[in-house]
Amino acid sequence: MAVTAWHYDGRSAIRRRVELRPEGDGFVLVEGDAAHGPFAWSDLTGRGMQDGAAVYAHRTLDGWRLGLDGEIPPDIAARLPREERYGRLIDRIGLWKASAAFAVIAVLALTGVYFAPAAIAPLIPPSFERRMGDAMVGDFGGRFCAAPEGQAALAKLVRRIDPEGGDLDVRVANIGMVNAVALPGGKIIIFDQLLREAESPDEVAGVLGHEIGHVRNRDVMQALLRQLGLSVVLGGVQGDAGGYLNAVIGLTYTRAAEARADGYAIESLRMADVSPVATAAFFRRLARFEPGDGRAATMLGYVSSHPLSRARERTFRAAAEKGANYTPALTTEEWIALRRICRDDPKAARDDSFGPF
Amino acid sequence: MDDDSQADSAFAFTGDWREFAPIAFTNLLLTIVTLGIYRFWATARERRYLWSRTRFIDDRLEWTGTGLELFIGFLLVFALLFLPLLLLNFVLQGLVFRDRPGIAAAIVVIVYVLIFYLVGVARFRALRYRLSRTYWHGIRGGADDPGFAYGWSYLWKTFVGYLAIGLMVPWSMTSLWNERWRHMSYGPHRFVSEAQWGNIFLRYLIFYLSPIVLFVLFLVFVFIGGLAFGMSGGFDPSTPPNEGVVFAFIVAAAIFYLVFFVVMGVIAMIYYSAFYREAVGALSLSDLDFAFTARTMDWIKLFVGNVALVIFTLGIGIIFLRYRNWKFFIDHLEATGEINLDQLTQSATREPGQGEGLLDAFDIGAI
């Protein structure tokens, strides 16, 4: 009924030859005339096989080891714990079942992070979103332009594209970059360089419609939520892999959102009787900075966050209706005033450090 | 193979990659389906195998670290370091928008200094953690010092090391190595570490001066190339260069780039092999003296082997790199002297509760 074994008591490095003898609810280790223990069976943890010995550790005694190298009778074997292999949970379920279950959970988590923001974003109170936008932007370092005539023209343009609005906060920033951005809380910032390079107010109207589309679709909040969710879910993925996965998932969503915002812009222009042809021309000029049509261009379209300028040009041009009663988005005087909104405002700080791109 | 030369060494690695493969592949599978979370348990399984196949004198090493404690370490770092940094990022954006780049820059500098300090603490704590989970004859190692003071040493010694146009880097490396190991113990014994920077300084000079020599050679090469090109028709700025010329330039640049990195890589290994021989050779524990026998050629073979393994398996080979690195480390580790088993009693150091989360977060390798 005894098993021969080697033993470390965890207090010194001396290797002892012992015999394991069951006693009561546990066992003792007999070394010559002396006996160590008793120890409880339930305190043992399996540490695997080593040189033909089944090795066990003690739950509370640091360094205590027992290597059973003799033949183990079945009644003792039944009381010995098994070695942990993949981890306690997976050992219990089995490797393949556990892998399948984890895969399902992973897909669900990614799907949730991908689709949930669209459902959650509308639930966030606009007042909270506005405070967030204020916190992010502040006074934009004094770069906002506010020449009175220009401001009036901008207000008119916004009313024309978005007649039922009122919760929008559209500003022009004195920044040398052809761009416009939508931020949380209905904030839209048009960069001055875009006004300078636009050839008509209709072009600005198209861009504005696009950014208003982002605001109405709550795209900004969705993007923030999605980014947050992805960085938590993919937090465990090491190094570059997580970054790439994050970027790819983020981009597929962004492209859909951009196309939706373009659709919104086209619809707004139609309702306001502003021609979309000018916006198409704007994209044609942007397209000159991108590689030509063909495979490379299509590839680039898939990887860049905005649809390719050429594709957008075609969309806007196709939206023009024959015989429609289009009128310019602003009068000539208003358009001139809007373009001078920064030059006529001596207080606005100029910043060229961002571009031009 | 070189098993014969290992027979009389105190350390020997007895693992087999075919035995390791099932561990590596199931780890890969579980890591993928858990979106990376399993990698902590994967690391623990890997080390349990590698340690159990490492013999020191008459018995194997044993790794007792668990995936859970590594995971907890990761969560702590995520909550205490990454989340605050994420929030700070928003604050920085707000400051830039408000035209306060000065304050933003100051915050960035402070954060970088803090992170540098934490990298030092992380290196110390990772070594302490690994020693505290490594058992031999039922005895483990460890350190009582939590490593916060070492973080400062790491910060200022690295800074001073680069101060004299980088010439004091060997001093900072050996001095930090000594400081780290002198805090560590195994059983009742403290490690003694006496690495001397003077012994590796000549090798460092080669490492230090070679980029300059390479750059001068490159300039000469460009100059001669330019002369040859000028004689063959020259360069007309008004017409775009034809495809042949562009191609030639790209090929020349690529060759130079490759040569530069291969040469620099080899020279770096000349230095690092000397550093590790000096550093490990300066370590002793009670009556044991350690040595590390890897020469520059051994390091190059390891490195080229690793690269080839990864390339020819289209990346899958990555899961075997830690196996190869550990085998390399043990194959070249030697110890002489004797151990008194009576006096090798259990370590009285506190066992750290969680794993090397901080080091993991900064993505720093072993040793």
Side-chain angles (χ1 to χ4, degrees), chain B residues 11 21 95 114 141 164 207 247 253 286 302 308 353:
Chain B
F11 285 98
L95 282 171
L114 181 73
F207 175 59
F247 186 71
S286 186
L302 171 74

Side-chain angles (χ1 to χ4, degrees), chain A residues 78 80 135 334:
Chain A
L80 293 168
E334 287 164 341

